[in-house]
Amino acid sequence: MATKVRSKPFDRFGRFILFKKLDTHALGEMWRAGTIEDNGLGPVVALHRLSGGDRNSMREAAEGAGKIVPQITIGTSVKNQTITIVEDTPTIVHEYAGGRTLRHIIERARGSATSHAQPISTEQALSIAEKVASSVEGLNNLKIGGGRLNHGAILPHFIWVTDDGDVRTAGQQLGKGIAASIPRGGPAAAELGPYIAPEIRESGEATKASDIYSLGAILFLCLTNQEPPDPSAGGIDSALSNAVLAQGAEPIPPEIRTILHKSMVLNPAERYGSAGDFRQALSQLLSGGTYAPTTFNLAFYLHTLLRKEMEGEAVESEKESKVSVAPYLAELMPPRETVDSPGATPASFPTPTFGSADEKPKNKTPLIAAALVILLLAGAGIAYVMTRKAAPSAKPAPPVAKATPPPAAVQPPPVSPVVSVLPSTSASTSSSADARKKAIEDEVNRRLQAEVQKLQADYNKTIDPKKPGGAQTTPSATTRPEPTPPSAAQLDEARRPQPAVARPEPAAPAPQTATVQPNPGPAIAASTPPPSTSPLVQSATQEGDLVNSGDLDQAPRVLRQVNPVYPPVAQRQRIEDEVIISALVSETGKVIDTKILRGESKPFGFNEAALRAVRGFTFAPGVKDGKRVKTWYGVPFRFTLK
């Protein structure tokens, strides 16, 4: 039994090896699966095993869809889709290549007890709905069997979003099975009902109007992070009027609310005339300048939201790629006596190489020759190694050169918590990282630095360098003033979800040589300020003056960095977060005061850990007019677990 477990680490479903269950829902399960081929493991696919709902209706719908789906070649449909019956179960199979269903993304975006909510932005919600509508529009333009095609199953379960931010649809022509599953009640009715137009629950026949209702429901889901109102419960107009955006909890803008009302109205005649009309309404919003979504921004969001899953999948895929299909092929082989019996049709599967007792002896000469070659090569290798050890003057081979972070940064062991201060540019990149991942990580760095600069600039506006000590007086070692909390506008901007780097390298917290050119024009000589009649005349900079960071000729530069201690409770619960601190750097380079520009999202002790660490930093002080000065300087901390 133990040998069987080792040889078959995964379950089999037809000609597929079920690697990992990605989702469970009312219609069944979704898996990442490998294809069993005669010569080994084939492509990795996304596999929907539709074991729920009305089984007979779903099976009948799948048989019909299986004849039509191969003819659907529009670019907005999932690639290489097959709808078939496997082991008496309706099944959808399509290309995987990294991605998740919209349903899975929304569930993760809602947050949990150990992670804060990260809703899809309003502009990306509009973009996703537009791409789904474009797919349905392309389907409507196809004419197969004398009629135009409708989708019938526009559900978040069948909307596939790739890691690259591409949006595609699956499950076409399954509408009859889904419509038949809703009247039976139970999980299917509660989960699928809000997306199905009320008029097709009896007929089961999808129409252009019913697809438009489903498109409106998808838009509602993406905008609010909530399930759409169920038409059977009534009160749809009220629900749409009172709905708020998931991002910012603000009322849905009137122009978007109009699209929702016109697509989810109960009377089919009052809806948009086609999916093309629905898409065009969204396109006009997206081209108006208020919203500017991009595919890269959606990929960036997914990288932030699903970073841990993506990292785990990279490790799992390596293991899955080495699975031997031989034990699975043996299961698929029909009994030998059936194949050998008179009149039997030969099996389509190849004879397994491990054979049986009644097989004819095979010619072993090639195997013996191969074994001799291997032994000779092994002997040569051993002799070479012994010679190297015996040579007294031989030097060990030089290690492979690796990119290293700045001197202040130390790469911790892979299993330890990583607490890093993000640099302005990526200090090093793993040689195995692909170009897309590197681009996303560079964008993470750029955006975090931009946020640091914005928050610091906002805080600089509250500082009056003319007053003694600026906005705050220099505190003693034992007493520190309570930091002023950021404004509501700053919090709203700061709470926007920020991505976490998969393998961050601790490094200097800010640009090393961020130079700001002084104001052009002749220098003003130092003199005794006259009365208030000449407010523009300023005295020359003196050493130790408090100067806004934006006015410096040379920004502070980190000389000594202290990595924070990861909060134990957060570490146990695997909580990650980011904190941005503004440090008052003195003319001697010491940190003499601190302020939280953006604090932790939940109280786990990240704020205190970052404050304690930054107070141990040492800087080369900022310079203005050749003099060393005090300045407030933003330092971002990213707490991530490896």
Side-chain angles (χ1 to χ4, degrees):
M1 181 62 70
T3 303
K4 184 177 180 181
V5 171
R6 285 195 297 270
S7 63
K8 290 179 54 186
F10 304 103
D11 291 334
R12 178 185 59 82
F13 177 63
R15 296 189 67 88
F16 301 97
I17 302 174
L18 302 178
F19 287 144
K20 184 172 183 178
K21 185 186 293 185
L22 301 177
D23 198 5
T24 302
H25 47 71
L27 286 176
E29 305 161 345
M30 182 180 180
W31 293 79
R32 182 174 71 243
T35 308
I36 301 174
E37 295 185 347
D38 296 344
N39 57 348
L41 187 64
V44 175
V45 297
L47 186 148
H48 301 253
R49 188 159 62 175
L50 306 178
S51 56
D54 186 311
R55 292 295 299 276
N56 292 331
S57 298
M58 289 297 298
R59 190 182 299 109
E60 182 180 347
E63 289 174 348
K67 301 174 184 177
I68 296 176
V69 163
Q71 304 177 61
I72 299 175
T73 57
I74 55 177
T76 49
S77 176
V78 291
K79 296 181 180 179
N80 302 321
Q81 179 180 204
T82 300
I83 300 180
T84 185
I85 306 296
V86 179
E87 296 184 359
D88 202 37
T89 302
T91 304
I92 305 174
V93 179
H94 60 77
E95 182 181 286
Y96 182 74
R100 291 294 186 272
T101 64
L102 180 61
R103 179 180 185 274
H104 180 86
I105 292 169
I106 290 293
E107 286 196 347
R108 292 294 181 270
R110 288 169 178 162
S112 65
T114 58
S115 62
H116 59 278
Q118 300 182 61
I120 298 173
S121 67
T122 301
E123 59 187 12
Q124 291 298 344
L126 296 172
S127 177
I128 290 172
E130 182 201 30
K131 291 176 180 177
V132 176
S134 177
S135 180
V136 177
E137 180 183 11
L139 192 65
N140 294 158
N141 292 331
L142 289 178
K143 190 174 182 179
I144 298 177
R148 303 287 180 180
L149 295 182
N150 298 309
H151 193 294
I154 305 173
L155 302 170
H157 312 58
F158 298 151
I159 296 174
W160 185 252
V161 185
T162 70
D163 293 345
D164 294 326
D166 196 10
V167 180
R168 295 174 177 270
T169 59
Q172 293 87 343
Q173 303 297 298
L174 291 179
K176 279 191 174 182
I178 292 170
S181 301
I182 295 175
R184 297 173 65 90
E191 190 175 305
L192 310 178
Y195 299 93
I196 304 301
E199 69 270 11
I200 69 165
R201 298 190 182 195
E202 294 182 4
S203 66
E205 292 291 341
T207 64
K208 284 187 177 182
S210 66
D211 278 354
I212 290 168
Y213 184 94
S214 299
L215 289 173
I218 293 295
L219 176 59
F220 182 95
L221 172 71
C222 294
L223 288 170
T224 66
N225 240 17
Q226 303 297 324
E227 296 298 319
D230 192 324
S232 63
I236 286 186
D237 286 342
S238 175
L240 297 180
S241 299
N242 296 326
V244 296
L245 297 173
Q247 189 179 65
E250 299 176 350
I252 296 177
E255 63 274 15
I256 300 178
R257 196 183 303 276
T258 298
I259 296 176
L260 289 173
H261 277 286
K262 195 170 180 180
S263 55
M264 297 182 70
V265 61
L266 294 181
N267 185 355
E270 297 179 13
R271 297 174 196 155
Y272 286 101
S274 66
D277 294 340
F278 178 88
R279 179 197 56 75
Q280 187 175 5
L282 292 175
S283 298
Q284 289 175 352
L285 284 181
L286 294 173
S287 62
T290 304
Y291 308 100
T294 65
T295 300
F296 178 82
N297 284 341
L298 180 56
F300 179 77
Y301 167 76
L302 295 177
H303 177 83
T304 306
L305 182 71
L306 307 175
R307 180 176 63 86
K308 290 183 180 179
E309 292 184 31
M310 291 180 180
E311 290 176 356
E313 185 173 303
V315 176
E316 295 163 354
S317 297
E318 179 70 18
K319 183 188 302 183
E320 294 163 1
S321 65
K322 299 177 181 178
V323 171
S324 171
V325 301
Y328 301 97
L329 280 172
E331 288 185 350
L332 291 171
M333 285 291 295
R336 172 166 295 278
E337 52 272 16
T338 302
V339 176
D340 293 341
S341 60
T345 303
S348 59
F349 306 107
T351 303
T353 56
F354 34 84
S356 60
D358 60 345
E359 288 180 327
K360 295 180 180 180
K362 297 182 180 179
N363 186 359
K364 299 183 178 180
T365 303
L367 295 177
I368 296 173
L372 288 174
V373 171
I374 293 172
L375 288 174
L376 288 173
L377 291 175
I382 294 172
Y384 174 76
V385 172
M386 296 299 294
T387 304
R388 296 282 293 177
K389 289 184 177 180
S393 59
K395 295 181 180 180
V400 178
K402 295 182 179 179
T404 56
V410 179
Q411 176 66 34
V415 295
S416 303
V418 177
V419 185
S420 63
V421 181
L422 198 66
S424 57
T425 57
S426 181
S428 64
T429 304
S430 171
S431 58
S432 62
D434 56 26
R436 180 181 63 82
K437 183 175 180 181
K438 182 179 183 302
I440 291 176
E441 291 180 353
D442 289 344
E443 182 66 10
V444 170
N445 294 356
R446 186 191 68 78
R447 291 194 179 198
L448 184 55
Q449 283 300 322
E451 183 179 1
V452 172
Q453 294 171 8
K454 179 183 183 301
L455 292 176
Q456 185 62 63
D458 290 343
Y459 182 57
N460 286 346
K461 295 175 183 178
T462 68
I463 300 173
D464 186 357
K466 295 181 180 180
K467 294 182 180 180
Q472 300 187 32
T473 57
T474 302
S476 64
T478 57
T479 61
R480 293 184 183 272
E482 188 71 16
T484 304
S487 66
Q490 292 174 3
L491 282 174
D492 182 63
E493 177 67 21
R495 294 294 183 187
R496 292 174 69 93
Q498 296 294 325
V501 180
R503 290 185 294 277
E505 296 280 356
Q512 299 293 319
T513 56
T515 304
V516 180
Q517 296 296 332
N519 238 0
I524 301 175
S527 60
T528 304
S532 58
T533 56
S534 302
L536 298 179
V537 179
Q538 300 178 0
S539 59
T541 303
Q542 301 296 320
E543 184 163 329
D545 282 355
L546 179 64
V547 178
N548 283 344
S549 57
D551 298 328
L552 295 174
D553 298 335
Q554 182 175 319
R557 178 169 49 87
V558 175
L559 298 178
R560 176 178 177 269
Q561 173 179 310
V562 176
N563 283 336
V565 176
Y566 212 102
V569 176
Q571 181 179 349
R572 287 195 298 270
Q573 298 187 25
R574 302 198 65 78
I575 303 297
E576 300 182 346
D577 215 330
E578 291 175 355
V579 176
I580 299 177
I581 304 294
S582 183
L584 180 57
V585 181
S586 73
E587 67 275 18
T588 63
K590 294 183 178 180
V591 176
I592 58 176
D593 200 1
T594 55
K595 174 181 175 56
I596 299 175
L597 295 182
R598 194 190 80 186
E600 58 191 346
S601 56
K602 290 186 179 181
F604 281 97
F606 293 111
N607 287 354
E608 293 76 9
L611 288 169
R612 283 193 297 269
V614 79
R615 288 165 187 162
F617 275 41
T618 302
F619 292 83
V623 176
K624 173 69 175 175
D625 297 337
K627 303 293 179 64
R628 296 181 299 178
V629 295
K630 297 186 185 76
T631 190
W632 288 92
Y633 192 66
V635 182
F637 288 83
R638 170 163 292 148
F639 293 79
T640 59
L641 288 164
K642 281 216 170 184

